[in-house]
Amino acid sequence: MTLRPSITYWNRVEPSPRSESLLPGLAAAVRDPLWFLTRQWQFGEFQGEDAASPAFVSVAVRAGRLDGWAAGDGAPQPFPGQEPLEVVAEREPVTPDLRTAVELGQALERRLPPAVATAFRAAYPLPPVASLSPQQARDAAVVSLLRVCAGRVCDGIAALAAIRAAQPGLPAAVTLPAGTDLTAIGEVAAWFDRWAQTTFGPIGVADPAGWRADRLEYALRVTGTAPAGHKLTFDARPGLHGDFDWYAFDEIALEPATGDLPPAPTTSLLPTPIRLSGMPDPRWWNFEDARFNWSGVDADRRDLARLLVVDFMLVQGADWYVIPFGHEVGGLVSVAQLLVKDVFGGYTLVGRADAAPAEGARRWTMFSTTAAGSLAEYFVLPPGALRATVDGPVLEEVRFVRDEQANLVWAVETTTEDGTGRPRSGRERATDTPEGAPAAESEALRYRLQTTVPVNWIPFLPVQIDAARRAVALQRAALQRHVDGELVAVHPVGRVLNPTALDRYLVREEEVGRTGTRVLRGAHRTRWVDGSTHLWTARRRRAGMGEASSGLRYDVTEP
């Protein structure tokens, strides 16, 4: 071990004030301000505009309200403010499946005495497994659930329908034991009706109020009162995710206003600078945020969109402010005046950027509502849940595809609900269904007029709906095939291809392009402004996956 000598120096910095105060020594006063001025001149800081920052903003607005909605050509209904517009327009009744019937039956029998529950079970029994049709017997979920629940609980859907039909009394089909307290049983029946309506809502197979089966989309009319006082009618169509945002509303009709304009209340607000990731710091001597590398942005001269974003971020990013103006959802807002006071005491009256008349590409506007080919003077704050929606599993999926070989359009039920309300693969249903007719043992070849396709492939044939305009629609048809030894017509089992309001189902030809289209049914959940929870089943339309081949052939012989 070798020891090396070392010399350690200690330096100590101590203030040496010439007076009793330490403030002059801590001030770090600049003795050469001309040097700072010259450096600012070299960096071009004196070339900026002599503009002041906004101190506060005075906003004068008038407000209107959306007050009603209607599906198609129906009569307008008052808009319920307790629910989002998506729930009102897109909600469809709950499918009356076996699982719902069992759950309703259990809820009813838990409130009834054992003897009365047995009477309801005898009046509204679940079907035994032996009574199922061959098609129902191929549903393994239904068979499994019936083996457990048949005879142990009543059919809650049938009991609910009978209770609602017999109100204010009790169903006549139920034979109650002697000495039963009819008043108590009536209270249980009334509670059961209210609980089922609150928990499940309507039960049935009807289409949603705003669903257009021929267009495979939602469409409805919304009425309201403009900030100026006149009545308005909007054409509302939800976006890709089923939400009603500001761009979903187009004004289609209005009534002239009568009387003077209502006064515009004035509110003073503090503007907030916009801050975003990678934005240059507004103070010259501060360090920049290194989370975004602007030197790594590779923008070509022809890439105008990227160049505009870079220019906005680097040059004009610090010049934008946000005014936190709040308003109730479901309202129409018209800005009567926007006055800005800066830190120098000056006032600037800000007008609408699209106030000057311009046509085509020369017109610039944002967040504006279309009104009879022009722009409205108000902004729409729709009563929608927007993106605060949680999507559940897909209960039904139908793919509309074109088959050029067969010269047909097919609606493929990729996923449908089984008898218990759970999603079931269409391929699985087609595999479980027997195909073909029994052939004689002596036949060496069998002639077939046409080959069979899976039961989840539903054909749509072109039909003429307007001879003058040569308009063509696609009508749902049915293929004949042998099932369980009988020649039957194959029909769809899902709700998308079985609209209840139409005698024959027609889809506009332009709705099914070369790439096809898809319609999805699923459950959705959201929270409203009052904290309430809303659960509903709605339909969504998505892009298709291209053409497909069904394998349909005519005049073939098979060994």
Side-chain angles (χ1 to χ4, degrees):
M1 180 175 179
T2 304
L3 298 177
R4 295 182 180 180
S6 63
I7 300 176
T8 303
Y9 294 93
W10 299 90
N11 295 325
R12 183 173 179 178
V13 180
E14 296 182 355
S16 180
R18 299 181 181 180
S19 62
E20 297 180 355
S21 176
L22 296 178
L23 294 179
L26 298 177
V30 177
R31 302 301 180 182
D32 193 2
L34 182 60
W35 181 83
F36 281 100
L37 295 176
T38 54
R39 292 298 291 174
Q40 288 180 298
W41 170 76
Q42 289 177 346
F43 279 98
E45 292 189 27
F46 296 154
Q47 297 179 4
E49 298 180 358
D50 188 12
S53 301
F56 67 89
V57 178
S58 177
V59 183
V61 298
R62 296 185 180 92
R65 190 74 182 173
L66 298 177
D67 50 22
W69 71 283
D73 298 332
Q77 307 176 26
F79 181 76
Q82 296 80 16
E83 293 180 320
L85 185 56
E86 291 88 351
V87 180
V88 175
E90 301 174 1
R91 178 175 50 196
E92 60 185 45
V94 177
T95 304
D97 52 72
L98 180 60
R99 189 156 54 105
T100 305
V102 171
E103 185 175 355
L104 287 172
Q106 290 176 338
L108 175 62
E109 292 188 5
R110 279 195 296 264
R111 294 268 182 154
L112 296 174
V116 179
T118 303
F120 270 89
R121 199 177 306 162
Y124 308 104
L126 293 174
V129 178
S131 64
L132 297 179
S133 63
Q135 181 181 357
Q136 294 174 337
R138 285 190 289 267
D139 195 338
V142 172
V143 175
S144 300
L145 187 58
L146 280 179
R147 286 175 178 173
V148 176
C149 300
R152 294 184 174 92
V153 68
C154 69
D155 187 346
I157 296 179
L160 178 62
I163 289 175
R164 290 176 175 175
Q167 285 183 350
L170 294 175
V174 181
T175 303
L176 299 178
T180 303
D181 188 356
L182 299 180
T183 303
I185 302 303
E187 293 177 356
V188 172
W191 167 87
F192 179 60
D193 185 10
R194 295 192 303 269
W195 177 82
Q197 180 63 32
T198 304
T199 306
F200 293 91
I203 300 177
V205 293
D207 292 334
W211 179 253
R212 289 195 57 182
D214 59 336
R215 294 294 185 182
L216 303 178
E217 63 183 8
Y218 290 100
L220 63 151
R221 292 182 294 109
V222 178
T223 60
T225 304
H230 53 276
K231 295 295 182 178
L232 297 171
T233 303
F234 296 95
D235 180 14
R237 299 177 184 272
L240 178 63
H241 300 279
D243 52 345
F244 286 89
D245 210 340
W246 61 269
Y247 49 78
F249 295 84
D250 293 324
E251 181 185 316
I252 57 177
L254 60 90
E255 298 179 5
T258 58
D260 300 332
L261 290 177
T266 303
T267 306
S268 297
L269 304 169
L270 296 178
T272 303
I274 293 180
R275 300 298 301 167
L276 58 152
S277 179
M279 179 177 173
D281 199 282
R283 297 182 64 86
W284 179 261
W285 302 106
N286 286 4
F287 287 100
E288 304 292 344
D289 188 358
R291 288 180 297 176
F292 193 90
N293 184 18
W294 286 103
S295 61
V297 178
D298 185 12
D300 190 78
R301 290 182 297 177
R302 296 167 294 181
D303 196 352
L304 297 180
R306 185 174 301 182
L307 290 174
L308 288 175
V309 172
V310 173
D311 178 77
F312 167 76
M313 293 280 291
L314 295 179
V315 180
Q316 304 173 4
D319 298 336
W320 291 81
Y321 290 81
V322 176
I323 303 174
F325 178 76
H327 193 70
E328 295 183 2
V329 296
L332 309 176
V333 181
S334 176
V335 180
Q337 187 183 63
L338 179 60
L339 187 63
V340 180
K341 182 179 181 180
D342 54 41
V343 294
F344 292 162
Y347 289 90
T348 303
L349 183 62
V350 180
R352 287 190 57 166
D354 54 6
E359 299 295 336
R362 298 182 57 187
R363 188 182 69 179
W364 186 94
T365 185
M366 183 176 291
F367 305 110
S368 300
T369 303
T370 304
S374 60
L375 300 178
E377 74 280 1
Y378 51 82
F379 300 94
V380 181
L381 280 77
L386 297 180
R387 300 299 173 85
T389 303
V390 180
D391 300 333
V394 176
L395 301 177
E396 183 178 350
E397 178 180 358
V398 179
R399 298 182 180 179
F400 291 84
V401 297
R402 287 187 176 269
D403 185 359
E404 297 297 338
Q405 184 68 26
N407 196 19
L408 286 175
V409 170
W410 299 89
V412 185
E413 291 184 320
T414 307
T415 304
T416 54
E417 291 181 276
D418 60 10
T420 62
R422 300 183 183 276
R424 184 187 184 189
S425 171
R427 186 187 300 271
E428 177 184 347
R429 181 167 62 90
T431 304
D432 294 341
T433 304
E435 296 185 8
E441 296 181 358
S442 60
E443 292 182 357
L445 293 177
R446 178 175 60 178
Y447 169 76
R448 303 185 66 176
L449 180 63
Q450 67 179 27
T451 59
T452 59
V453 296
V455 294
N456 60 325
W457 286 60
I458 308 300
F460 276 72
L461 304 178
V463 294
Q464 192 176 49
I465 58 176
D466 191 345
R469 300 181 180 179
R470 298 183 179 181
V472 176
L474 304 172
Q475 181 177 354
R476 187 194 65 192
L479 287 179
Q480 300 286 335
R481 59 172 299 169
H482 287 84
V483 178
D484 298 323
E486 299 181 359
L487 186 64
V488 297
V490 178
H491 296 285
V493 298
R495 297 180 58 171
V496 174
L497 300 181
N498 286 293
T500 56
L502 301 176
D503 296 334
R504 59 171 185 166
Y505 186 21
L506 296 176
V507 177
R508 299 287 182 171
E509 186 186 23
E510 60 269 17
E511 301 298 333
V512 185
R514 294 291 297 271
T515 59
T517 187
R518 296 186 300 156
V519 178
L520 311 177
R521 279 185 61 245
H524 307 275
R525 184 177 184 272
T526 189
R527 297 284 295 274
W528 194 224
V529 293
D530 57 354
S532 59
T533 301
H534 298 273
L535 181 66
W536 77 101
T537 303
R539 308 179 184 190
R540 302 286 183 263
R541 183 174 176 178
R542 296 292 184 267
M545 305 177 65
E547 299 178 358
S549 176
S550 62
L552 180 64
R553 294 179 298 166
Y554 301 95
D555 299 325
V556 296
T557 56
E558 297 177 347

